[in-house]
Amino acid sequence: MASLGLGGLNVSARRKSVPSRNAAVERRNLITVCRFSVKTLIDRSCFETIDDTSPEFNNFAAILEQILSHRLKGQITWFGYESPRSFWDYIRVACRKVSHNCICSIENMENVGSSRAKGRAWIRVALMEKHLSEYISTALRDFKTTRRFYEDGAIVLGEEANMLAGMLLGLNAIDFSFCLKGEGLDGSFPAVIDYTPYLKFTQSSDSISSDEEELRTLGSSGSEGSTPENIGPPFIMDENSWYNKCKRVEQKYRLALEQKGYLEELVRLRENQLSESVSQNKLLLQRIEDMDLAHKMEKEQLEYIIVELQDQL
């Protein structure tokens, strides 16, 4: 009986652990594919302008939409039913504190009717303004509002949220160009992520070098019975090795360029924050001086009143 009881407890524990594991895997998958999508966008921007026709952008927009819609609570109607919500309902409330925000402009757009379409328009406008990371960071800092809109286990409530804000910072170095009247704003259908660009197998440099060494060994072992016409493969391997080296150098250059853009954008953001802090400090100092002056004047008035009362007494 005791063994049966322990077995039942183990089964129930496994049943409870499966949903939590699935939720963790889902969060990790979305964050990982978002990081890949940002990298492909940065790579593509080195060669052409990113607009609505770019498959890299369409995939990134679908990924971000699913991240912001992950475990989003529904809206309770008057009859007690739960109607689905769009992530725009959360963004327009949580991002009101962003200075010079585009929330009101998107709300007043005539050709954008549904809430989902407004959310997609906001993604495009925020990218063109180079403020997407700032919007996301401001929304995540409003933890009370985020709690109100999302269920437990949502990406925006977990540790992955900080990774998301840092990831999107690199997009500020890209010049986007979007049309806010195109088919991309159609909110009739949910966004679908295309995972195939991120599932391509890339052979590592160590694996390539080991394959080349193996082919050279096979070529040398068969060279005893070979004729002068079979001297081609070593030259082809040399050409392939140079090509692979050039590809690796190109990848390193792109990575360095991406890091450079990210660091420049980070420095610009920190400079803006520093200038805002300096201006706020000046305002606070001015307010303190005004309060000191008002305090001195009030003190003089009270002293004058006390002298008058003493004279009357």
Side-chain angles (χ1 to χ4, degrees):
M1 293 295 291
S3 62
L4 287 174
L6 290 173
L9 288 174
N10 290 332
V11 169
S12 62
R14 282 197 297 270
R15 286 178 179 175
K16 290 180 180 178
S17 65
V18 168
S20 61
R21 177 197 171 275
N22 292 343
V25 170
E26 185 181 10
R27 292 196 302 268
R28 190 164 61 248
N29 287 343
L30 284 173
I31 289 295
T32 303
V33 78
C34 182
R35 182 165 61 248
F36 289 155
S37 176
V38 170
K39 288 184 177 180
T40 55
L41 266 179
I42 293 173
D43 288 344
R44 178 62 64 181
S45 67
C46 298
F47 304 102
E48 62 183 34
T49 304
I50 305 297
D51 55 16
D52 294 281
T53 61
S54 172
E56 289 82 7
F57 164 73
N58 291 325
N59 217 25
F60 166 76
I63 293 167
L64 184 61
E65 184 173 336
Q66 290 208 14
I67 287 175
L68 294 176
S69 303
H70 183 248
R71 300 186 72 84
L72 184 67
K73 291 180 181 178
Q75 188 173 8
I76 305 299
T77 62
W78 287 97
F79 301 101
Y81 298 106
E82 186 174 339
S83 61
R85 259 180 177 158
S86 169
F87 69 93
W88 170 249
D89 299 326
Y90 163 67
I91 290 296
R92 67 186 179 87
V93 175
C95 294
R96 292 283 184 184
K97 297 179 181 178
V98 177
S99 58
H100 308 292
N101 64 71
C102 60
I103 304 297
C104 294
S105 301
I106 293 174
E107 286 281 10
N108 297 327
M109 290 177 68
E110 296 179 356
N111 61 310
V112 181
S114 66
S115 180
R116 181 184 290 168
K118 288 179 181 178
R120 293 174 179 175
W122 167 78
I123 292 176
R124 288 161 170 77
V125 173
L127 285 171
M128 287 192 290
E129 292 179 348
K130 302 182 185 296
H131 288 161
L132 182 60
S133 177
E134 184 181 356
Y135 278 109
I136 296 296
S137 300
T138 304
L140 295 178
R141 282 197 296 268
D142 191 354
F143 191 73
K144 185 177 180 181
T145 302
T146 307
R147 265 285 183 197
R148 183 157 57 92
F149 278 87
Y150 288 91
E151 299 175 356
D152 291 335
I155 292 177
V156 295
L157 290 175
E159 298 177 355
E160 298 88 353
N162 296 325
M163 297 170 56
L164 176 65
M167 237 183 282
L168 300 177
L169 194 61
L171 297 177
N172 293 354
I174 302 177
D175 294 325
F176 293 93
S177 177
F178 300 120
C179 176
L180 298 180
K181 296 181 181 180
E183 297 179 356
L185 299 182
D186 185 13
S188 304
F189 304 99
V192 179
I193 301 174
D194 182 13
Y195 290 97
T196 52
Y198 317 117
L199 298 177
K200 294 177 181 177
F201 173 73
T202 303
Q203 195 172 11
S204 64
S205 58
D206 296 335
S207 177
I208 292 172
S209 60
S210 65
D211 289 347
E212 292 175 357
E213 187 65 30
E214 185 178 353
L215 286 172
R216 286 196 188 96
T217 305
L218 291 172
S220 61
S221 63
S223 61
E224 296 177 357
S226 63
T227 59
E229 289 81 12
N230 296 330
I231 307 179
F235 176 75
I236 295 174
M237 286 311 303
D238 275 346
E239 186 179 351
N240 286 337
S241 64
W242 278 109
Y243 175 75
N244 292 327
K245 287 180 181 178
C246 290
K247 290 293 289 182
R248 287 197 294 271
V249 170
E250 184 182 359
Q251 288 176 358
K252 289 180 180 178
Y253 171 74
R254 287 184 178 181
L255 182 61
L257 189 65
E258 176 186 344
Q259 291 175 347
K260 176 177 174 290
Y262 171 75
L263 291 174
E264 287 177 351
E265 185 59 31
L266 191 62
V267 169
R268 188 186 69 83
L269 182 63
R270 293 294 179 263
E271 286 177 351
N272 290 338
Q273 290 177 348
L274 180 61
S275 61
E276 289 179 0
S277 300
V278 170
S279 60
Q280 289 178 0
N281 190 24
K282 288 181 180 178
L283 289 174
L284 288 174
L285 289 174
Q286 184 65 35
R287 190 178 300 175
I288 290 172
E289 291 178 359
D290 294 342
M291 290 177 66
D292 286 340
L293 182 60
H295 177 68
K296 288 179 182 178
M297 293 177 64
E298 187 177 358
K299 183 179 178 182
E300 290 176 358
Q301 290 177 357
L302 289 174
E303 289 178 351
Y304 180 73
I305 292 172
I306 290 172
V307 171
E308 282 188 349
L309 290 173
Q310 286 177 349
D311 290 342
Q312 290 178 7
L313 290 173

